[in-house]
Each structure stands twice: as C-alpha cells, then as structure tokens.
Amino acid sequence: MKPFKALLFFLFCLPLFVFSQHSNSSTTDNAKIKSMITSYKADARGPYRDIRWFCEDGTINMPKEPCEGEGVQHARYKEEVVALGEQNHVYLGQILASSDVEAFWDKANYHSRIKQYMLEKYLKSVDDGWIHRKAQFYRGAIQAEDEEAWGKAFFNELLANDSYIEMHFYFLRQAIKDVPHTGDDNVAQLMRSQSKAVADAYEPFMNLRIKIHGQPEVSDISKVEAFKKSQGSKLTPGLQKDLDELVTTMERFFEPMKVASLSDYLKDVTNKDIVSYLNGFIEGYTNAPITETIEASADAMWFIREHMLEESTPQGRLALFDLSLKLELLITKQIAEYTEEDLKSLTDKICYLSMASAASGYTELWEWDQLQVSLSEKSNNEATLEVLQDLLIAARQQLEWGTGKNSAVFGPVVSLYEGFEPLAHGFLDDRIRGSVALYLGNSIGKLGNFITEASSLSNHVLDLNNQSHIHGLNTGYAFGELVVVEGSAENMEVNPNNIYVFGRPPSDLKPVAGILNVSEGNLVSHVQLLARNLGIPNAAVSSANVASFKKHAGEKVFYAVSNSGTVIMKSESDMTDEEHRLFSKAEQSHEMITVPVEKIKLDRNTTMSLSEVNAASSGIYCGPKAANLGELKQNFPDHVVNGFVIPFGVFLEHMKQTIPGREQTYWEYLNSIFANARQMSEQGESAKAVEDYQLKELAQLRNLIIEMPLTNSFLDNLETSFTSILEGELGSVPVFLRSDTNMEDLKSFTGAGLNLTLFNVLEKEKIIKGIKTVWASPYTERSFKWRQKYLTNPENVYPSIVVIPGVDNDFSGVMITKGVTSGKTDEITVAFSRGVGGAVDGQAAETWAIASNGGYRLIAPSREPFYKSLPKTGGTEEHVTTFETPIVSPETRRQVNMFSKTLVDKMEAQGIQGPYDVELGFKDGKLWLFQVRPFVENKRAKSSTYLESISPKVDMQKTLSLNTKL
C-alpha cells in the first residue's frame, strides 16, 4: 500500500503567510465547535459518518468492496468536520492513513495540522477519549497497522531533509513521540492523565495525584494501592477500576528497561562511528552505578543531538530520535535513585539533567553553548557563592528557555483550541512534565534553597514550593487582590489595584499594582519600561509556581521586589505595621508632573523637515521622538531616513475648528471634559465615577477627531512635503505615522508605547485618516490611565506626528545604554526580534548584555515564532521563523557596542543626559536609527528605605565545600 496517496477532500492547505491558529482564530465560531464536540462525545461514531475503502486510484468503495489494487479502509469524516477544516483550518479526528504528507506537515500554517493531531491525542488521554468517547469503540474507524505504516513513511520523508532537523529538532522529536510509527505508546502521559481523572472524580486522591505529576517514584505504586485499601467502601466500583488501571499503568512505566534491547534501534543506523559510540554506551551500562548510568545516558542523548545529521538515511535518523526518547525515559525512571547527598552530587545532577534537556531540543545548540560554561564552572572541591549562583541562573535559564520553546512551538495551536476547549491549556504543561525538565526543576529548587540558606537571599512568597525559581525584575511594592491568568491575556480588562500573575502579559497592558510573569519576558518592551518607570514590582516565576498561586487567587496580598531581586508576598493579615504604612495616603503619593507648556510654540502650522528640528525643539514644536530623531539625523545622517514632522500647531489649528452640528470647537470640548472632571472631584464624586465620565467623553472625542476634516492648506502642505522630502507623491510612498506628544520622555516619565504608531501606510486616504487617528490616540483608555498616574494637566497634552518611510529590517529592537538586569553603567542591553517593530511590543526577544570591553552574556534567546515585513504595497506581511541560529551575530554585537559609545558622547555633548533607550534595526548589515529617549527608572522605588531594608548584603566570594552535606 502507498500511505501518501492524497484524497481530494483532505487537501486543505492555505496560502503562505496565513497562520490560521495565529491569525484567523477571531473568525472561528467557537460556540459552534463547542456544540460539535459535545455532540461527538455522545455519538457512537464521533466525528465520523461511515467506513469506506480508500483506493490508490482515488475511488472510494463500500466496506465490503475492497480495492482492486492498493488501498486502506477507515472511517469517513462527517461533512461538517470536513467543512470545519476547509473554513477554519480546525481538524478534528484526523486519520493518518491516506493523508497527504505535505498537507499534514502544513508548513504554510506553522504546522498546525500535525500539532492539532498531537493536541487531540492529549485531550483524548485526559478527557475519556474526548470526541472519541464512544467512537473509540467504532470498529474499523481507524486501523492501527495502517496508521503506523503511514507514520513511518511520513517521518522517512521528513527526516531526509537536513534543514527540517536543524530548524525543527524539538518539534520533530515531540511529534515522533506522538505520531504512531513503531507500536510504542506514551505510558507516562497515560499515567498522568489517569491519576488526574481519579483526583477530579475523588478529591481525597489529589495529594497523590500531585505527587505522581510532580515527582513520580516506584514507591508511589504501593501508595496508590494503600490509598485504595484505606478508602474502602467510599470508592465507587468505577473508581476502584480506575485505580486498578492506574496501578497497572504505573507498573508498566516503572518496569526495568532492558538496556540491551536498545541496540535494536541501531540496526537502521548506517554511520559506523555513531553505532560504535552507542554500542559502547550500551555495553558499559550493565554493571555501572545509577549515577553513572544517568550521566552516561545524558551524554548519549547529547551525542545523538550533535551527530544526528552525520547519519545519512532517514530510517537511521528516525531510529536515533526513537533511541533519544528511550534514553530520556530511562533517565526519568531512574532519577529518583540519583542521590543528592552533598553539594557536588546535586550540582552534577543539575548539569547532566540540563544537558539531557538541551539534547531533547528545549534549547538550540548555540544557546546551550552560552549556558554550559556556567553549569560546569566549579573546581573539584569548592565553589564560591557567585559560582553557585551563576550555575543556578544558567540551569534556571535552561528550564525557562525550554518552557519558552515549548510555548513558541505549540502555543498558537493551544490558543486556537482554548477558544472551544479549555482543557487544551494543559497540553503545554504536559509536554514539560513528560520530560527531564520536570526533574531538572526539582533539583534547581533544592540548589536554590541551599544558596538561600548560605546567602540569606531568600524569597518569602506565601506558602509556595520551589521559591528559588522566583526572581525579581523591577523593584517596587504593591498591595492588592491577587489575580492568576493562565491562558492568553490579550485584550483582557485589568484592574489598576490588582496584582497579576501572567503566563504572558498582554502587549497593551494598562496600569496594574504588580506583575509576575512566567520567565523574564522581554526586559525592554514598552510594558516593562513603563512598569520600571512607575515603580510597579515585577518578578519572573516558573509555570509550576503559577499553579501554586491559583489557590491564593482572590486574596488581598502584599507584594515587594527588593533591590537585590528577592521577592516577598504575604497575606494582608501577615503584614507588618511598616508595610501597612507604605500604603497610607502620605506614603502613597508620588511626585506629580506638570506638562511644561510655557515654551510651546503653537503658531507653526506647516510641516517641518527632520533637518529643521533637533533636541532643543522638544516641547516647543514637537515631541521628543521627532526632536531626538532630528538630533540623530544631524549626528548620524547616513543612519536615519529622511522624513518630516507635523508639529503641535497643526493639531491645535484643526482642534480649533467648530464641531459639525455644535456651537463648540473640538478644543473647547476637550477642555470641558477635564474641567467637569475636576468639578466632580471637588463635589465629592468617587474616583471611579470621575474616571468613567472622562473615559466615556474621551471616547466620543476620539471619534470626532477621526472624522474631523483636514484643511485644504494643510493637505497642500502635506502633498508638497511628500514630493520634496520623501521624493514621491502622497499615496506612492508607504510611511510610518508615529505619535509624539509633549508628555513623553519627561525627566520622571517615559511614556513609552502609550500612543499610536501606524505601520507602512501607503494609500492617500489611509494616510489622511491615519493622521487623525494618531491625533486621537492620546485619548485612548490605556494612554489616559497611564498618564493619569503622573500628570496634573492632561488637557495640555499636544500630539505631533513623525512621518518617515519604513526600513524593511532584517531584525530590529532596542538598545539601553546600561545593564538593565545588572545596573552596570559600563555595559549595554540590546534586545532584537526578526523583522520590523522588534522587541518593543512584548515579543520574546533575543536579549544580550554587552560589556564596554566587548564581553557579552546571553540574557534570553528569542521565542517569537512570527515576525512582520514591510511590502512596497503598504501594510505588513507576517512570516514564521525558527530559532536554530542567533539573531545577533558577533559583528552586530561589535557594531552596537561601538555605536553606543559614540551616541553617548554626542548626546551628552548636547546636554542630553543618559542612559538612553534607542530603537534601531539592521538591514543588510547596516544600522538604522528610529528613536532615542531617556531610559527612566523609578527613583522612589530604588531609594525606598523599606526596599533597602529587605535587600541583604551578601559576600558572593564566600567559599563553600562541595562536600557539604545536604
């Protein structure tokens, strides 16, 4: 038979650059899909309608009429299932036999179909068959031998391609775990799903379920048996049966692996050196102690990862992937026997588990090169606290970067399914729990606890376990209700008085009291810079920590991040008097800012070329974006595009027009909103009532501004500026329209990302409407709420607009002329993402610390699978990328390091003090500059006596013996 024969109804490939699970989820009718799922769970045939023969010649025969030639027999999909795939790129109940390889690989849609297959397999395991609850007994619907034959042929075709392995090592390895091709099944996942099902049905089993999910050991079998016996008559017959099945599965999971049988995988491997090395490993395994066998297994996994492409045949490569998975399973089965009796054995264990995690593809080869030095940098007998702390950080990064890789690969399809199946979110966690990463996390926690005791740098976060995974990013303190957000946070409404735990914060986050994120995220995104600016405490936590926070959701808590990065969180009842006093009105008040208007010149009602403005123009004709870009244009003319500015005066001229149908100008209406709000406050109205009034009126004002007519004189001026400065007619040159107000980049407030930037606008009418939309953007809810924390006269916010052609960057991002994490003034921090608009909107950007002398340290790799480019036709196009090569090359590091020194010298010579926040990009190796502003931190938080009091001073050169007993 030929499993690659395509069926016409199965070919649902979409055009390139359309990522259904990323871009089209908004068009998915989730309610309809939920209804389909509910229906299929109760349907004896599930998502299928009948059984047919599918023949090689394309004919479809009745069940008792076999094909004359080659063919396979299996179920047909219900017509609505086929339609769902065609219209929404959602594929339910996929059958592999007869599927087209390219359609299932689904490259054009970020491999959505194969990921949906894997996700559905997980849902089946945790939800009693899911849509196959009854259909799993539908005889003949799926033929296991045909599925395995197709799976083997599928991987043989994929693995013949070297670039697929280089780009998708982690994804392929995970797929090989799930797509049938050898007769194996995922016993570990079955064990976790069975224990979850019992705990969901019978709450007293929850503690054992947590143990099995977190630290499974062979002794857990007797604990489950004892639990069943102790509960006796309380258990229903169904629960007793479920517990028996769980014990059987656990016995299968923990049964000793016959290591000699691993040599069977080498029969398909043709590279003699690989075979020789792995046979040597297998032969030496038998009589070695557990610690050596686990370390050797990690070494063998890494050997396979490094040398995979030296095996020339796809069959051999598939065998090596399978062997790598077996070695990982061997490690997880035996890891409980790897004792951590002293500091040396614990650090060795962390090193080898980190290696096994990297060998599994959780980090790329070049990323592991950045980590492994810190993981192995200790002498035979002793290590300083600094060395141990570096080892802890490196191991934690291996774990965080791996979690980020998992989310980058599978997050989009999980987000798609979350819209109609909430259980889908557990898939991401299950991938981690089914790997060596789970055990690495446990050991990291133990090392963190040891360092805490030795250094007094301890976190005190409620009653959470593994608190060493938590580390501070922004200093500050807060009090409020704790809110835990596990799924997507995009577009969610937030309360400014609450403290949020995010899997990933929304890119347009409004002000909140405090933030905790899974992993460090992007340290230089606009949200992070605003949080740092306002003294909002921010810390990184692990995905396991998030689950622990859930039991405290809804509680009022005190939260603080110290200057040394330690974190405190406690319930309101445990707060000290000093901590209560921090939130008295006297302590809470912060320095309010009055937007300076005494120098502003509002009589300039024509555009200004970038060559006409410089740093001194800020707050006079335009905002600091335009002023500083003009300064950059003068100092670095070859690195800044030509462009022009629409000054404050043009905005005011238009705002002084009368609103159609009213006897009031736009400007009078704006001022009346703030005057009425002040009067409401003076009359004792609540802050919420005042804010609600302002937001409602500002929403009306925004709509009026967007519909406001532009004057003929300004339209003529705009046409002239395009032809004379941009060398093209209005409507022929795509441009960026960047809001630039007089309240941005003040001494104590950055305003980063609060107002609107429109990307690559081409058509004349869209540019005209875009100008008015940008003028309206300072009055959006998000911008207004952030500003209200600082400004005394928000009615005097004037927008100017920077108009520049885009550069279709290969990669772009941000440079901060100081160490963001270290605080060092002799280093810079750079963060880049591929394409345009990189790093500023919360993307998981590739981030480096670069020392003045050229030294460097990787803070985080990119985990952003999508990026944008700028077509000449305007707008943006979306592309997908992978992570096997770094974005930032050694030459890029050298360039930005040298440029930062020149920038500092020239800006300081103009009296503009740093550090600076610079937006830049690279195209064909050339550096382009788009913005420079002050890098503003909250001095009140930095100098807080309370935060200083919880920041212990530690001698990091203190030496500890590695023989120290634990």
Side-chain angles (χ1 to χ4, degrees):
M1 73 182 61
K2 296 183 180 179
F4 293 159
K5 182 65 182 177
L7 300 180
L8 292 179
F9 71 85
F10 223 118
L11 296 177
F12 304 136
C13 273
L14 295 184
L16 193 61
F17 305 137
V18 178
F19 307 108
S20 63
Q21 78 281 20
H22 182 65
S23 306
N24 293 353
S25 58
S26 61
T27 64
T28 303
D29 187 343
N30 289 326
K32 179 181 177 182
I33 300 175
K34 283 181 181 179
S35 177
M36 292 169 67
I37 291 169
T38 300
S39 171
Y40 297 158
K41 286 179 178 179
D43 189 331
R45 295 187 177 185
Y48 311 123
R49 56 174 169 157
D50 50 31
I51 307 292
R52 291 291 186 269
W53 277 98
F54 297 87
C55 305
E56 185 181 28
D57 62 6
T59 59
I60 300 175
N61 294 350
M62 297 297 289
K64 294 183 178 181
E65 300 175 7
C67 302
E68 293 184 5
E70 295 284 347
V72 291
Q73 187 185 60
H74 57 73
R76 279 197 302 179
Y77 304 101
K78 286 181 166 64
E79 291 182 1
E80 62 188 13
V81 173
V82 176
L84 186 65
E86 291 176 328
Q87 295 165 15
N88 297 103
H89 212 76
V90 173
Y91 292 86
L92 300 179
Q94 293 186 82
I95 298 171
L96 300 179
S98 303
S99 296
D100 178 79
V101 169
E102 291 300 322
F104 188 67
W105 181 233
D106 203 10
K107 182 179 179 180
N109 295 283
Y110 196 41
H111 313 286
S112 178
R113 280 186 56 176
I114 184 172
K115 292 173 185 177
Q116 290 184 53
Y117 177 89
M118 297 165 70
L119 176 53
E120 182 172 307
K121 191 168 185 178
Y122 164 77
L123 291 170
K124 287 165 64 177
S125 75
V126 299
D127 191 28
D128 192 19
W130 197 49
I131 59 173
H132 304 268
R133 186 164 295 171
K134 291 188 175 181
Q136 57 192 315
F137 308 111
Y138 182 24
R139 186 178 178 184
I142 299 174
Q143 307 286 349
E145 64 274 15
D146 291 338
E147 298 294 282
E148 288 176 18
W150 188 93
K152 183 175 289 187
F154 171 71
F155 286 123
N156 283 340
E157 180 160 327
L158 290 184
L159 297 179
N161 189 320
D162 288 3
S163 65
Y164 283 176
I165 296 174
E166 290 173 328
M167 294 188 296
H168 304 292
F169 186 93
Y170 172 73
F171 171 40
L172 281 170
R173 191 173 180 274
Q174 293 295 310
I176 288 167
K177 185 187 292 188
D178 283 346
V179 175
H181 62 283
T182 63
D184 283 354
D185 52 12
N186 195 336
V187 180
Q189 185 184 74
L190 179 62
M191 180 175 69
R192 291 191 300 277
S193 61
Q194 287 177 334
S195 65
K196 179 182 183 298
V198 173
D200 288 346
Y202 192 62
E203 198 277 335
F205 190 73
M206 183 58 70
N207 287 339
L208 264 176
R209 179 250 185 183
I210 292 170
K211 174 66 170 62
I212 293 168
H213 276 235
Q215 300 182 63
E217 298 175 283
V218 68
S219 60
D220 294 335
I221 297 174
S222 60
K223 292 176 183 175
V224 174
E225 291 172 331
F227 176 86
K228 179 188 174 188
K229 185 176 180 180
S230 69
Q231 298 299 301
S233 60
K234 297 178 184 178
L235 300 173
T236 64
L239 278 171
Q240 291 183 2
K241 180 184 176 185
D242 290 344
L243 285 166
D244 288 339
E245 291 177 351
L246 173 60
V247 168
T248 300
T249 301
M250 294 175 74
E251 288 172 344
R252 285 175 59 203
F253 178 78
F254 285 109
E255 67 183 3
M257 184 182 293
K258 296 178 181 178
V259 178
S261 68
L262 296 179
S263 60
D264 292 344
Y265 290 99
L266 301 179
K267 293 176 182 178
D268 289 328
V269 180
T270 60
N271 185 290
K272 293 181 180 178
D273 292 334
I274 294 177
V275 172
S276 175
Y277 175 89
L278 293 174
N279 270 328
F281 156 74
I282 294 168
E283 291 167 5
Y285 192 97
T286 307
N287 298 316
I290 287 293
T291 54
E292 291 183 17
T293 59
I294 289 176
E295 292 169 1
S297 297
D299 278 330
M301 287 178 67
W302 182 251
F303 179 86
I304 291 171
R305 174 88 196 267
E306 274 198 305
H307 298 277
M308 175 69 75
L309 293 181
E310 294 173 22
E311 167 58 34
S312 59
T313 69
Q315 294 84 0
R317 291 173 175 181
L318 180 58
L320 290 173
F321 270 114
D322 281 328
L323 179 55
S324 174
L325 288 165
K326 286 295 183 184
L327 291 172
E328 183 181 17
L329 181 60
L330 190 151
I331 290 173
T332 59
K333 282 185 174 185
Q334 297 183 327
I335 196 66
E337 300 176 56
Y338 191 127
T339 58
E340 300 160 339
E341 58 188 24
D342 56 28
L343 187 56
K344 184 178 188 306
S345 60
L346 176 58
T347 53
D348 285 347
K349 183 177 181 180
I350 287 173
C351 181
Y352 282 102
L353 285 175
S354 296
M355 177 188 290
S357 177
S360 302
Y362 283 98
T363 45
E364 301 292 344
L365 297 175
W366 70 270
E367 296 167 5
W368 174 249
D369 287 343
Q370 299 295 319
L371 292 177
Q372 62 176 334
V373 174
S374 294
L375 287 165
S376 58
E377 190 179 350
K378 56 186 189 296
S379 67
N380 291 328
N381 299 313
E382 60 184 26
T384 64
L385 268 177
E386 182 178 32
V387 167
L388 290 175
Q389 183 72 15
D390 287 346
L391 187 152
L392 176 67
I393 291 171
R396 194 164 59 198
Q397 286 176 321
Q398 171 64 43
L399 194 62
E400 288 182 359
W401 299 355
T403 302
K405 168 73 80 65
N406 185 56
S407 296
V409 171
F410 295 110
V413 78
V414 167
S415 294
L416 173 67
Y417 270 57
E418 279 181 319
F420 50 81
E421 178 49 82
L423 290 173
H425 183 74
F427 177 77
L428 296 175
D429 185 56
D430 189 73
R431 291 285 117 176
I432 301 298
R433 290 186 177 278
S435 75
V436 292
L438 171 67
Y439 306 93
L440 173 61
N442 293 336
S443 295
I444 288 172
K446 292 177 182 177
L447 178 61
N449 292 337
F450 175 86
I451 293 174
T452 290
E453 292 181 12
S455 66
S456 301
L457 280 174
S458 58
N459 296 319
H460 299 283
V461 181
L462 300 170
D463 57 356
L464 270 64
N465 295 320
N466 274 345
Q467 296 199 12
S468 58
H469 288 281
I470 303 171
H471 53 287
L473 303 175
N474 292 342
T475 59
Y477 48 79
F479 173 73
E481 181 181 325
L482 186 66
V483 179
V484 181
V485 185
E486 287 192 284
S488 172
E490 287 300 326
N491 302 317
M492 74 172 288
E493 286 297 317
V494 295
N495 186 318
N497 300 315
N498 290 347
I499 296 165
Y500 287 84
V501 181
F502 290 115
R504 181 172 176 178
S507 57
D508 62 345
L509 182 65
K510 300 178 181 73
V512 295
I515 307 169
L516 298 97
N517 308 301
V518 174
S519 83
E520 291 189 356
N522 179 352
L523 296 175
V524 295
S525 70
H526 283 153
V527 168
Q528 294 276 30
L529 292 179
L530 284 165
R532 183 178 291 267
N533 185 178
L534 295 179
I536 295 173
N538 189 7
V541 301
S542 71
S543 55
N545 292 145
V546 175
S548 301
F549 275 116
K550 283 180 68 178
K551 64 182 177 181
H552 296 284
E555 295 179 11
K556 289 288 185 71
V557 297
F558 170 75
Y559 167 42
V561 177
S562 77
N563 298 334
S564 57
T566 54
V567 179
I568 291 175
M569 185 178 287
K570 59 177 68 173
S571 64
E572 181 178 11
S573 60
D574 293 329
M575 290 172 64
T576 65
D577 290 342
E578 180 184 10
E579 289 162 350
H580 276 292
R581 283 195 298 271
L582 293 173
F583 301 95
S584 68
K585 288 189 176 181
E587 284 289 335
Q588 261 192 305
S589 63
H590 52 67
E591 178 189 358
M592 295 295 289
I593 297 171
T594 298
V595 180
V597 293
E598 61 275 3
K599 295 182 180 178
I600 197 165
K601 293 187 177 180
L602 299 170
D603 54 351
R604 176 71 185 249
N605 58 6
T606 57
T607 63
M608 305 174 72
S609 169
L610 278 181
S611 61
E612 292 182 69
V613 297
N614 55 30
S617 306
S618 181
I620 299 176
Y621 294 107
C622 57
K625 280 193 188 84
N628 290 335
L629 192 59
E631 189 74 35
L632 289 174
K633 182 68 175 175
Q634 292 181 21
N635 287 289
F636 306 96
D638 294 336
H639 297 277
V640 178
V641 296
N642 294 321
F644 60 89
V645 182
I646 302 173
F648 300 141
V650 176
F651 166 74
L652 183 61
E653 179 184 52
H654 284 82
M655 290 291 285
K656 287 187 174 180
Q657 297 179 102
T658 300
I659 301 172
R662 299 194 192 182
E663 295 181 357
Q664 185 183 37
T665 67
Y666 299 90
W667 188 248
E668 288 168 344
Y669 179 34
L670 168 63
N671 281 273
S672 72
I673 295 171
F674 291 103
N676 291 340
R678 276 192 286 270
Q679 186 176 8
M680 289 172 68
S681 295
E682 291 167 0
Q683 293 173 348
E685 295 272 6
S686 69
K688 184 178 188 308
V690 174
E691 183 179 273
D692 288 346
Y693 162 76
Q694 289 175 297
L695 291 175
K696 178 183 176 182
E697 295 296 321
L698 289 174
Q700 291 188 36
L701 176 66
R702 284 201 312 276
N703 292 332
L704 288 171
I705 292 174
I706 291 171
E707 297 303 320
M708 178 172 63
L710 296 184
T711 65
N712 291 332
S713 60
F714 175 64
L715 288 172
D716 291 342
N717 177 226
L718 194 63
E719 296 266 14
T720 302
S721 298
F722 264 81
T723 54
S724 63
I725 298 173
L726 303 184
E727 299 179 351
E729 293 183 0
L730 176 61
S732 68
V733 180
V735 293
F736 279 50
L737 303 174
R738 306 195 66 172
S739 174
D740 184 26
T741 71
N742 60 327
M743 54 72 64
E744 297 179 38
D745 306 339
L746 303 174
K747 185 176 181 181
S748 302
F749 186 71
T750 173
L754 287 187
N755 302 314
L756 188 64
T757 293
L758 295 179
F759 274 54
N760 214 40
V761 186
L762 176 63
E763 291 89 346
K764 178 177 178 178
E765 290 307 313
K766 287 185 178 180
I767 291 174
I768 290 171
K769 185 171 183 178
I771 288 170
K772 295 181 289 184
T773 304
V774 172
W775 277 342
S777 68
Y779 311 112
T780 61
E781 179 181 354
R782 177 172 180 262
S783 178
F784 170 76
K785 284 185 173 181
W786 279 104
R787 287 202 318 268
Q788 286 301 94
K789 281 184 171 282
Y790 266 88
L791 301 186
T792 62
N793 56 337
E795 66 273 25
N796 286 324
V797 171
Y798 293 89
S800 61
I801 300 177
V802 183
V803 183
I804 54 174
V807 177
D808 191 20
N809 294 301
D810 300 317
F811 55 94
S812 56
V814 175
M815 175 181 71
I816 309 294
T817 59
K818 71 172 287 185
V820 173
T821 56
S822 68
K824 294 179 179 178
T825 57
D826 62 347
E827 73 177 32
I828 61 174
T829 305
V830 297
F832 287 104
S833 297
R834 298 197 187 279
V836 299
V840 296
D841 287 330
Q843 299 102 324
E846 184 176 308
T847 309
W848 297 79
I850 304 173
S852 179
N853 63 7
Y856 57 88
R857 174 175 56 89
L858 179 63
I859 297 174
S862 172
R863 289 294 182 258
E864 195 63 46
F866 304 104
Y867 69 94
K868 291 183 173 67
S869 66
L870 303 178
K872 294 180 179 179
T873 53
T876 60
E877 286 182 345
E878 191 168 65
H879 308 263
V880 68
T881 187
T882 47
F883 313 113
E884 73 279 2
T885 57
I887 296 171
V888 179
S889 68
E891 173 58 20
T892 301
R893 285 196 297 268
R894 187 196 67 79
Q895 271 189 268
V896 294
N897 197 20
M898 294 296 294
F899 168 73
S900 69
K901 296 172 184 178
T902 305
L903 173 75
V904 169
D905 289 343
K906 291 193 174 185
M907 295 297 281
E908 288 184 348
Q910 298 295 323
I912 306 169
Q913 296 302 309
Y916 311 103
D917 166 4
V918 185
E919 292 182 23
L920 68 167
F922 282 82
K923 177 66 176 177
D924 297 329
K926 181 177 179 178
L927 185 155
W928 289 94
L929 300 169
F930 306 111
Q931 183 169 309
V932 61
R933 58 158 66 96
F935 176 65
V936 183
E937 298 183 277
N938 189 282
K939 294 181 173 59
R940 174 172 165 267
K942 286 284 187 182
S943 60
S944 164
T945 55
Y946 172 77
L947 293 179
E948 189 62 31
S949 73
I950 61 171
S951 304
K953 300 293 185 288
V954 181
D955 178 11
M956 298 304 291
Q957 298 308 310
K958 176 182 176 181
T959 300
L960 298 167
S961 170
L962 294 179
N963 295 320
T964 301
K965 298 297 181 183
L966 301 178

